[in-house]
Amino acid sequence: MENFEEKLLDMLQKKILSDISKQELISVKYDDRIPVPENLLTEVYMSLDIAVIKKKLKERLEEEMADKIANKMITEYSNDIKLKQIMCNRELREELRSYMRGKIRKIADDVCIPEGENHDY
């Protein structure tokens, strides 16, 4: 029985901790929430380094766009019979890779904003 009680106690503790982390045990009604003072929000906003935020946003968007483009290309390539034939030929496959690398570099150069240049979007 001791083993059962220990396991039960451990399981209950984990469940309670999990519920607390998901905020499922404590619920605050919308009307009872404490508002954040407007001057605090203004102060925090004014202290943000917009250049850092833009840089991180740009990096994240580039990653997401690259993933989406790659996934679309992979899907299209896997469905195209002629392309499957091309991909079986080593010379044509290398030529296609070289072509794609050049195009990706051109897109990256066109999209990238030089360091220190400030654009307000």
Side-chain angles (χ1 to χ4, degrees), residues 19-75:
D19 289 350
I20 289 172
S21 70
K22 295 177 188 173
Q23 298 178 349
E24 291 179 356
L25 287 181
I26 303 168
S27 176
V28 179
K29 292 181 182 175
Y30 188 79
D31 294 339
D32 294 337
R33 294 181 186 201
I34 300 171
V36 177
E38 192 173 321
N39 62 342
L40 176 64
L41 290 175
T42 304
E43 184 181 329
V44 169
Y45 180 77
M46 297 306 287
S47 69
L48 295 175
D49 187 347
I50 300 299
V52 171
I53 293 171
K54 284 182 180 180
K55 182 179 177 187
K56 289 186 178 188
L57 181 60
K58 177 181 165 257
E59 290 169 0
R60 187 169 174 190
L61 287 172
E62 284 176 348
E63 285 178 26
E64 288 181 17
M65 287 179 67
D67 287 344
K68 287 182 180 185
I69 290 169
N71 288 337
K72 283 283 189 186
M73 290 173 62
I74 289 167
T75 301

Side-chain angles (χ1 to χ4, degrees), residues 68-109:
K68 287 182 180 185
I69 290 169
N71 288 337
K72 283 283 189 186
M73 290 173 62
I74 289 167
T75 301
E76 287 298 318
Y77 290 164
S78 66
N79 294 333
D80 190 338
I81 293 174
K82 288 184 181 180
L83 191 58
K84 286 181 182 179
Q85 292 171 348
I86 290 172
M87 296 308 279
C88 289
N89 183 312
R90 184 180 175 104
E91 284 181 25
L92 292 174
R93 188 171 59 236
E94 291 304 318
E95 189 175 330
L96 178 62
R97 285 182 179 157
S98 174
Y99 174 80
M100 293 301 291
R101 281 189 205 104
K103 291 295 182 184
I104 290 171
R105 282 190 196 105
K106 181 172 179 352
I107 291 169
D109 291 342

Side-chain angles (χ1 to χ4, degrees), residues 1-18:
M1 266 312 184
E2 256 183 63
N3 196 16
F4 172 78
E5 290 173 357
E6 287 175 9
K7 287 182 179 181
L8 180 62
L9 182 61
D10 184 53
M11 184 183 71
L12 287 172
Q13 287 175 345
K14 287 178 181 176
K15 173 69 173 145
I16 290 170
L17 289 173
S18 172

